[in-house]
Structures are given as C-alpha cells and as structure tokens.
Amino acid sequence: MKISYNWLQQFLQLDWAPEKTGELLTDLGLEVEGIETKESIKGSLEGVVIGEVVTCEKHPNADKLKITTVYLGEGEPVQIVCGAPNVAAGQKVPVATVGTTLYDEKGEGFKIKKGKIRGEVSFGMICAEDELGLGKGHDGIMVLDTPFEPGTPASKVFKIEKDFVFEIGLTPNRADAMSHYGVARDLRAGLIQQGVNLELISPSVSDFHVDERRLKIDVEVENKELTPRYSGITITDVEVKDSPEWIQNKLKAIGLTPKNNIVDITNYVLHELGQPLHAFDASKIRGNKVIVKTLDEGTKFTTLDEVERELSAEDIMICDGENNPLCIAGVFGGLKSGVTEGTHTIFLESAYFNPVAVRKTAKRHALNTDASFRFERGIDINQTKYALKRAALLIQEHAGGKLSSDIMDFYPEKVEDFQVFLSFESVYRLIGQEIPRETIKNILASLEIKINSVTEGGLGLVIPSYRVDVQREADIIEEILRVYGYNNIEFSHKLNTSISFDNDAHVKIENTIANQLVALGFNETMANSLTKAEYVNLSENLKEDNNVEMLNPLSNDLRVMRQSLLFSGLESIAYNINRRNSSLKFYEFGKTYHKYDKGYQEDRHLSLFVTGNRSKESWKIASQYSDFFYAKGVITSLLARLGFNKIKTSPVKSDVFSEGITLGLGKTKLVDFGVVKRSVLKEFGIKQEVIFADFNWDNILKLKGNKKIKVTDLPKFPEVKRDLALLLDTKVEFKELYNTAFQSEKNLLKQVDLFDVYEGDKLPEGKKSYALSFVLQDENKTLNDKQIDKIMQKLQQTFEKNFDAVLR
C-alpha cells in the first residue's frame, strides 16, 4: 500500500524527516518496506531554463522549420532549430539545454543532444507543454508571460511538487489503516508516545447542504446481510473535465492515473478515508431506482474493462429499476453505467458490503481492485455517510455540480461500538513487564478507545467500530504494546531452554527411507495440499463427492484438498521439463484428504516419480532410460530395507496407469506403481514416460510396527523361474494375464511378475511387448524339466488362445 507523506501532512502538521517517520510507522506495526521520492514532473525540469528568442528565420533547407537564436542568460545566444509554427522573436520560452533528459508519459527518458537538422546545428530544444509534462498540448511551443529573466531554471517558474511515498506492507487485520487518514491516526498515537502531541485534522463537511431537491433515486436493498448499509445522493449539472492539479498530483504520487474529475474524486476519497465510492451516470439508471440484489446464475455482464463475465448467483449486484445490472458491488463497475465526458448527472454511492461475499466475488472473477481490497478486510460502516458528504462537496467544488437530493441511507441495524474489559494483570502477564497504568490509559485514548469505567483490577473499554480487528482482551494488549514500543520492553540476556529429544519411531523410518532415496539420486518435494477440483476427473477411482472443499479458497486452483499425490507431483515434473530439466527422480511424504459419509479421513503416503535418464549424461557412462524395470528395482529395495521380503505381486486396480502392478504383504497392499497413462500426462503437457509409485504409508507403518520375526524351515525343494516375452495387443492388461495364468495352473504356480514393458516403432502398430516371469514350486518334490516345460507350454497356449499372444 502506498502512502504519500505530503498527503499525511494534511492531517498532521509534522515536520519530521520521511526516514524518521518511516521508522516510527514500522515500530507501530505499519512496516515501511521502502521510501520512494516522487515528483509531480519527473526529473523536476532539471536542465530546462527560460530563454528569450532573439532572432527567428526560415530554415533554408526545410519549409516547416525555423532557425532561431535564443539567449539563455549568459554568453552568446545559441542556435536552435525549431519546427513549431508559433515561434517568433521576442518570446520567452522554455528551453531544454544540451544534456537535459526529458520524460514521456510512460516515464521513459530521452536525452537532448547537440545535432544537425537539415544541415543546421541545433543546441537544445524549445519545448511544448507535453514535452515537459506540463500538459497535453502539442500545437506549438509554450510562450511564457513571465517576469523571470533568461537563464532562470524552469523549476522556479512552474510549481513542481516533491513528495515521499511510503510502501507499507499492510497486514490483513489492519483494515483501519487502509487510508491516509487511518495511517495518520495511528501515527499520531505513536507521536504522543514520543512526546509530540499534534492535532489530527479531519476533512470538514460542515458546508454540506442540498441545493435543490429535483432528482430522487430510490434505493432498495433485498438482503441486509449482504448489504448492511447503502447510501447514495444525486448530483446534477456536473461538468466532466480534468481534475485540479493538486488532486492529480496526489493520485500520481501513489501510482494512480488521473481519469477525470468525478472518477478522480472518488479515488481520492477512497485513499483519503478508506471508503470506496462509485459514481454512476444517473441517466443510465432506469426507473430512477437502485436495487441491490443478486441475479440468476450465469447472467451475462460486461465490466469496465470490456470483458463479458458470467455472474454467480452469490455476486452482489447494483441494478436499476428494471433489474438491469449496473455494477458488481464492491468490486468493479459496469461498462454502460460509468461516467463519461457526456455525463451531466450522477448518482454517487457509498456503501458497506459483506466482506466475505466481496472476497468470494473478487476471487471468482479474478478481479483485485482498490475497492475490493478494502471491502474484503472490512471498512468502517459508520463512515459511509461522512465519506459521501466529503466526495459530494469536492464534486460540487471541482465539477460545478448541484446536490439534488437528500442522502438516501439504508441502515436498518446500526452497528454499535464493541465493549471489552481489560485486566491490568493480563497486561502484565502477556507483555512480561509492568507498564504504568496512566501510560496505558493515555495509549488507549490516543487510539480513540474510550474508557467507560475504571476499577482497581482493570478498565471497561469501548472499541470504535472501525477497529474490526480488536475484539478481545488480547487484541487490546497487542495495541498497547505496539504503541508503547516493542523496543521499550526489557529482556533478559540469559536464555533458558530445554532440549527435546524426538524418539518417534515413525520419523526414524521416514528418515531411513529418505536417506536411501537420496543415495539413489532422488530429490524430495513438498507440494501444496490444496489443488484443483477438476483433477478427480482424471481417474474413475477418485470421486468428486469425496473432495474436501475450502470454504474460502484463495483461488479456483486451490479449491480442494488433494485426494492423490499424483497430480501435484506431475505439476512439479511439468514445471521442471518446461525449464529443460527432463531427467527427474522425486519423492514426497504427504497426506491425502477424503470426505466420506462417516466423516473426514487423512491417509499418509510416500510417492515416487521417475522420468528421463537414470543419471546425468557423461562421456564415461552411457545414458540409460528410467523404465518400469528400474523403478521396480528401487521399490523392491525400499521394501527390503523395511524388512518386507515375501512380497506378492498382483494386478494394479488404479486406472491412472497404462501398465502397473501392486506389491503387497499377505492381503495388505503396500504400493501401487506403474507407467502413468498418456491421457493423464497430456493434461500437464508432459510428452515423456513417467513412472509413478504410491506407497500406502499407513499400512507400511502398521506392518512395520507389528512385525514379528517368524522362523520357518527353508524349502526343501527349489523353486524354478521361467520367463516369457509376449507380443500383445495394447489393450491387453497385465491384470488379465495374471488372472489367466493362475486359472491355468493352480497348484504349482506361485508368482507372476511383469518386469519389462516395451512399446515402440519397432513393433507392429497396436502392439506392445510384455516380459513376464513365472515362479514354479512343488513343496513335495523337485520339479523336472518335463513338468516345467509342460506347464510353460500350457501357459503359452492359453495366452495365445485368449489374447492372440505371439511368443517373441
């Protein structure tokens, strides 16, 4: 938030240096992040002087140019080539001398140099008003009627305002300081504590009176919860033109571009008092009535930026008597109802809209305006009428308007000041140091917190309505402390602490696995638990009804809590690939969040992501791609490190994989992993293969914690392992092969694994290659080659019959 020092001095006659004032503001909790010097004319016309045209003759080589000699106060007159039609001898003009830098409307500078124009030397430039930033005219040079002698710096002739602008990092709770008056009010409290007691000067509205009651626009509010207060007044016979220079300078200092006198005054009062205002062209309000309401979902509305938006049924809208939308309340105006050069009658609005409703609307439409910034945080509901009078008087003064109606003020339930009891004992307990009671009373008085009663134990206080953040005793103590000064609190030079020892077995297990992954070249990621609601549509295993939704989301992209670690990991992979880092190995310990009929549930997971090459390219080592088999090796090594050796393989049930398997212990699932479907990767703009593993960390911790050592005899008879490489249709899944294999051989087949998958241009279209391993064992005797070959031939024939498989 930008605060002008010159503007502050309208409320406090303070002569401190800006740097010293900035230090005090920071001590008060209004952190000054920087101080910038601002000039009403950039460069302050340095190098521009008053010159007197001595001679003016036609340029011999150009019809529209003239050669002048200009006296600049010392030495001989200099020759300047000028193209202005109105230049003549005897004039006093502003001259930018050689070496001067002038600035255009965008703030970009250009340097005046000695040069030749059509063969004639020119030492400078005679300036038009737009070239100096003094106006927009470019019909000719500025001809000055001034008593100043040639050589006088132009900065002495033209009034240039110099200002210092504080960049304040305002915390969301300090709604009371969202204006120059609010900052001045806080600054005064700090100055009193410094022994400087200044009067806080408030803008006067005592001259407010209705000129003639000739145009009344009625106000109807349909929902007082959404709009607790709404005030308005009509002003006729206004002349829309440029604002006076002093208003323009104030707005420019804080980074606003002046528009016209009406709009500028509403912006001026907003930044002066913190009350957003909006001016409507009254001729566009049909039925001479304003209705504050909500409209049907999907209603079209074009805002001032010429963007057509679809309204939500929750958006507060300002409509006319025929229910035509005019403005998104508290956020942005409409294209057709705004003030233009042809406007002569306005309806001026000053209101208090529900902060939550405004915040949701602003986020929904991706609009962040000065008005919404203030409404979202909560303005002073009791200031709306005062700010309306202030703006009306300024419009009357600078646009020639006449106040043509009484103020329409909808305020059914007056907000009273809040009462809190402050215990002296609590003050000492929370601050840790005794502050004199008179000092406490003085600080409260400087903050406009009224003392309603005084007892031996504390104070009964009345909190002003604009302090929406001060509702508890602890809030008041914080106010006392920040004004008293954190630097004035004494502290001991001795620090006592105790060392805590984390003996959590679960943390040790995580660290063990994390260390192994890091040793294998993995990097840890920590993704946001908030994500897009639309991601559940990428998997039929995830249900939209199970989303845990935020009541007040920061954005649509952070609207729900994640049901899977897959999508946030793919976001990280896409981010890296887009920055030419395509060989990646990530892991994350995180949680997923679900809403079921029985309640909410959190599940712990470990996710692995592998894509690209296994290691960095090197002349020593040939690059190897991170494939399914490599990922399986990493996963089985992790499970072995955890003590899980008798792992069973089964087909994966998750539909985010094009190929995948599930590893488990008994009936307990430990990890799903496989190749992520291309259709899922496409949503993230990823074109290369990605292997994803999802460990059910809750199951792993449970089995690890309950794991008992069981000793059994070694098998007397050996197991036999055989492999098959099959050419299959791409639509065939491992799950089908797995089930078919066990149906074909129920007695001796113990395990089926998928250890390699290949899809490429070397295979026929629509085909892929699976490498399967089969473990056979007879617990009663040693299998011979004839038995083994018979079983493998039976499996091969079954695959050929059921899946048109071809042995490679």
Side-chain angles (χ1 to χ4, degrees):
M1 182 181 72
K2 297 183 183 295
I3 293 294
S4 157
Y5 193 35
N6 288 354
W7 205 336
L8 280 182
Q9 289 174 318
Q10 291 183 189
F11 308 116
L12 289 174
Q13 300 298 315
L14 181 64
D15 58 359
W16 279 17
E19 292 76 15
K20 186 177 180 180
T21 304
E23 290 175 3
L24 179 55
L25 287 171
T26 298
D27 290 342
L28 288 167
L30 303 177
E31 183 181 359
V32 175
E33 298 174 341
I35 303 177
E36 184 182 1
T37 302
K38 287 281 189 178
E39 301 150 329
S40 57
I41 299 176
K42 189 170 182 179
S44 297
L45 300 182
E46 185 176 347
V48 180
V49 299
I50 304 303
E52 184 172 356
V53 181
V54 179
T55 63
C56 179
E57 298 177 355
K58 189 176 180 300
H59 195 294
N61 302 319
D63 293 337
K64 294 184 178 180
L65 297 178
K66 296 178 182 178
I67 300 174
T68 66
T69 55
V70 184
Y71 178 57
L72 301 179
E74 58 182 18
E76 296 295 323
V78 299
Q79 178 172 294
I80 298 176
V81 178
C82 180
N86 63 329
V87 64
Q91 295 173 337
K92 286 187 177 179
V93 292
V95 178
T97 58
V98 174
T100 299
T101 300
L102 299 178
Y103 297 89
D104 60 18
E105 290 182 354
K106 297 179 180 178
E108 297 176 358
F110 60 95
K111 195 171 185 178
I112 303 300
K113 299 178 181 179
K114 172 187 172 182
K116 280 190 175 182
I117 302 176
R118 292 292 182 96
E120 297 292 333
V121 180
S122 183
F123 297 88
M125 182 173 77
I126 304 175
C127 300
E129 63 178 27
D130 67 326
E131 292 165 334
L132 297 177
L134 295 170
K136 298 180 181 179
H138 195 72
D139 296 337
I141 59 168
M142 292 185 73
V143 179
L144 306 176
D145 182 14
T146 174
F148 291 99
E149 294 296 320
T152 302
S155 58
K156 291 186 177 180
V157 178
F158 304 102
K159 185 178 179 182
I160 298 175
E161 185 176 328
K162 188 175 184 180
D163 197 358
F164 298 92
V165 177
F166 302 107
E167 183 66 48
I168 294 180
L170 192 68
T171 53
N173 64 305
R174 292 304 308 277
D176 62 296
M178 294 188 298
S179 65
H180 284 77
Y181 185 79
V183 172
R185 182 170 51 205
D186 228 38
L187 182 59
R188 176 177 175 270
L191 289 169
I192 291 175
Q193 192 62 25
Q194 300 280 332
V196 181
N197 197 342
L198 298 178
E199 178 189 0
L200 181 64
I201 304 170
S202 302
S204 174
V205 294
S206 59
D207 291 338
F208 180 87
H209 66 276
V210 178
D211 296 306
E212 51 185 6
R213 294 174 176 81
R214 68 177 186 179
L215 176 61
K216 181 184 178 184
I217 293 182
D218 294 320
V219 172
E220 178 185 333
V221 176
E222 291 192 355
N223 189 331
K224 66 179 181 181
E225 300 297 327
L226 295 178
T227 310
R229 189 172 190 182
Y230 191 93
S231 306
I233 191 172
T234 56
I235 307 175
T236 58
D237 299 335
V238 298
E239 180 185 357
V240 179
K241 56 184 179 180
D242 288 341
S243 302
E245 187 177 357
W246 66 271
I247 289 182
Q248 292 195 37
N249 289 342
K250 291 287 187 296
L251 297 179
K252 288 178 182 177
I254 59 173
L256 297 182
T257 303
K259 303 292 184 184
N260 57 58
N261 51 355
I262 305 299
V263 175
D264 292 351
I265 286 170
T266 60
N267 284 331
Y268 179 85
V269 173
L270 181 149
H271 289 277
E272 178 186 54
L273 301 176
Q275 172 65 50
L277 304 167
H278 191 74
F280 299 90
D281 186 331
S283 66
K284 306 292 177 63
I285 302 176
R286 296 181 181 179
N288 283 348
K289 186 175 184 179
V290 164
I291 305 174
V292 186
K293 60 183 297 184
T294 55
L295 296 175
D296 293 337
E297 185 78 27
T299 300
K300 306 289 186 181
F301 178 65
T302 305
T303 46
L304 278 171
D305 55 0
E306 300 183 1
V307 174
E308 185 179 75
R309 305 178 188 274
E310 283 194 10
L311 300 177
S312 163
E314 296 179 359
D315 294 334
I316 310 172
M317 297 298 297
I318 310 300
C319 303
D320 62 18
E322 298 179 4
N323 290 322
N324 298 308
L326 304 174
C327 172
I328 302 178
V331 180
F332 212 30
L335 181 64
K336 297 179 179 180
S337 63
V339 173
T340 65
E341 291 182 357
T343 298
H344 299 290
T345 304
I346 65 171
F347 175 74
L348 190 61
E349 164 197 282
S350 179
Y352 180 97
F353 300 111
N354 183 283
V356 174
V358 173
R359 187 184 306 120
K360 287 183 176 180
T361 295
K363 295 297 181 183
R364 191 179 295 117
H365 296 290
L367 292 169
N368 183 21
T369 62
D370 286 335
S372 67
F373 177 82
R374 285 158 177 79
F375 279 124
E376 288 174 16
R377 287 156 177 79
I379 60 172
D380 182 8
I381 192 171
N382 290 320
Q383 186 181 242
T384 58
K385 196 171 181 179
Y386 169 69
L388 188 66
K389 289 181 178 180
R390 169 68 169 156
L393 287 173
L394 287 172
I395 291 173
Q396 193 176 36
E397 180 180 355
H398 299 292
K402 295 180 180 179
L403 306 183
S404 302
S405 74
D406 294 313
I407 292 178
M408 284 69 74
D409 188 22
F410 173 85
Y411 193 15
E413 297 179 6
K414 182 174 174 59
V415 175
E416 301 294 340
D417 293 340
F418 193 75
Q419 296 191 13
V420 175
F421 182 79
L422 175 68
S423 166
F424 290 127
E425 182 181 351
S426 297
V427 175
Y428 307 147
R429 177 172 53 83
L430 291 182
I431 293 179
Q433 178 177 316
E434 186 170 338
I435 298 177
R437 296 187 178 187
E438 285 303 315
T439 301
I440 292 175
K441 293 178 183 178
N442 291 336
I443 290 174
L444 293 172
S446 68
L447 292 170
E448 299 184 357
I449 296 176
K450 298 175 184 178
I451 299 175
N452 200 29
S453 62
V454 180
T455 66
E456 186 62 29
L459 304 171
L461 304 175
V462 179
I463 313 300
S465 60
Y466 62 80
R467 289 311 305 267
V468 294
D469 61 320
V470 180
Q471 301 290 306
R472 306 169 300 162
E473 183 183 50
D475 299 330
I476 298 171
I477 296 172
E478 182 183 355
E479 291 295 295
I480 294 170
L481 182 55
R482 71 179 182 85
V483 176
Y484 182 74
Y486 291 97
N487 295 331
N488 294 326
I489 302 299
E490 298 177 0
F491 60 93
S492 172
H493 293 284
K494 181 181 178 182
L495 177 64
N496 296 322
T497 186
S498 59
I499 299 174
S500 62
F501 179 67
D502 191 351
N503 196 28
D504 190 342
H506 292 175
V507 174
K508 287 185 177 181
I509 295 172
E510 284 192 13
N511 289 338
T512 298
I513 296 304
N515 289 336
Q516 182 164 339
L517 286 168
V518 170
L520 291 170
F522 280 75
N523 292 296
E524 184 174 10
T525 64
M526 295 179 68
N528 198 333
S529 295
L530 299 175
T531 188
K532 296 180 180 179
E534 295 77 16
Y535 282 156
V536 298
N537 299 325
L538 299 179
S539 170
E540 293 182 2
N541 300 115
L542 304 177
K543 304 299 181 184
E544 188 173 348
D545 291 340
N546 299 139
N547 274 335
V548 179
E549 297 186 356
M550 297 295 99
L551 294 176
N552 183 27
L554 294 172
S555 69
N556 285 331
D557 289 345
L558 302 172
R559 195 153 53 91
V560 300
M561 303 191 78
R562 61 183 178 182
Q563 291 192 52
S564 170
L565 272 61
L566 170 63
F567 308 117
S568 54
L570 292 179
E571 287 177 348
S572 298
I573 287 175
Y575 182 89
N576 279 270
I577 291 175
N578 291 337
R579 286 153 182 79
R580 305 179 68 84
N581 184 20
S582 58
S583 296
L584 306 165
K585 289 187 280 189
F586 290 156
Y587 76 93
E588 179 186 5
F589 288 99
K591 290 183 177 181
T592 58
Y593 306 86
H594 313 269
K595 182 180 68 175
Y596 300 119
D597 293 338
K598 61 183 180 181
Y600 293 95
Q601 180 175 315
E602 295 182 14
D603 298 323
R604 285 180 287 190
H605 294 262
L606 164 63
S607 64
L608 303 185
F609 294 87
V610 179
T611 186
N613 293 328
R614 300 185 191 180
S615 58
K616 291 183 179 180
E617 293 184 6
S618 170
W619 62 274
K620 293 182 180 180
I621 305 172
S623 61
Q624 289 181 291
Y625 203 74
S626 300
D627 56 8
F628 179 91
F629 185 64
Y630 169 74
K632 183 180 178 183
V634 172
I635 293 165
T636 53
S637 71
L638 294 178
L639 294 175
R641 183 69 179 85
L642 290 165
F644 303 135
N645 296 310
K646 291 292 184 178
I647 301 299
K648 290 188 176 181
T649 304
S650 60
V652 71
K653 295 181 179 179
S654 176
D655 61 353
V656 298
F657 300 111
S658 58
E659 314 293 344
I661 57 176
T662 295
L663 302 179
L665 194 63
K667 295 183 178 180
T668 304
K669 182 176 71 173
L670 297 180
V671 56
D672 292 335
F673 81 96
V675 180
V676 181
K677 279 184 177 179
R678 291 181 181 178
S679 59
V680 175
L681 298 178
K682 186 178 179 181
E683 294 295 322
F684 297 85
I686 300 173
K687 297 180 180 179
Q688 63 190 55
E689 185 178 82
V690 177
I691 311 296
F692 168 60
D694 181 17
F695 288 77
N696 188 318
W697 201 246
D698 285 318
N699 286 346
I700 287 174
L701 294 177
K702 183 178 179 181
L703 291 174
K704 183 69 177 174
N706 297 331
K707 188 173 177 60
K708 294 181 180 179
I709 297 175
K710 184 179 179 181
V711 179
T712 59
D713 292 333
L714 291 173
K716 291 182 179 181
F717 305 100
E719 63 182 26
V720 178
K721 187 175 182 181
R722 290 288 187 270
D723 297 338
L724 285 179
L726 301 173
L727 187 66
L728 300 156
D729 290 339
T730 54
K731 64 182 180 180
V732 177
E733 296 182 356
F734 169 65
K735 177 181 179 180
E736 300 174 83
L737 300 173
Y738 179 93
N739 293 333
T740 301
F742 278 105
Q743 290 171 2
S744 177
E745 177 54 55
K746 299 178 180 179
N747 298 322
L748 301 180
L749 183 61
K750 301 300 180 182
Q751 190 172 329
V752 179
D753 281 331
L754 172 67
F755 65 88
D756 193 21
V757 179
Y758 175 72
E759 291 183 79
D761 53 8
K762 295 181 181 180
L763 298 179
E765 186 177 353
K767 297 291 184 179
K768 64 182 175 182
S769 174
Y770 268 5
L772 304 176
S773 68
F774 303 86
V775 176
L776 306 173
Q777 188 179 39
D778 190 331
E779 297 176 359
N780 299 313
K781 61 181 179 180
T782 301
L783 292 172
N784 57 44
D785 289 341
K786 187 176 180 180
Q787 289 174 301
I788 297 168
D789 292 342
K790 184 179 179 180
I791 293 171
M792 293 306 298
Q793 187 176 8
K794 180 181 178 182
L795 289 172
Q796 180 183 338
Q797 291 173 351
T798 301
F799 292 147
E800 290 174 351
K801 180 181 179 181
N802 293 352
F803 305 107
D804 294 328
V806 177
L807 188 67
R808 294 190 71 197

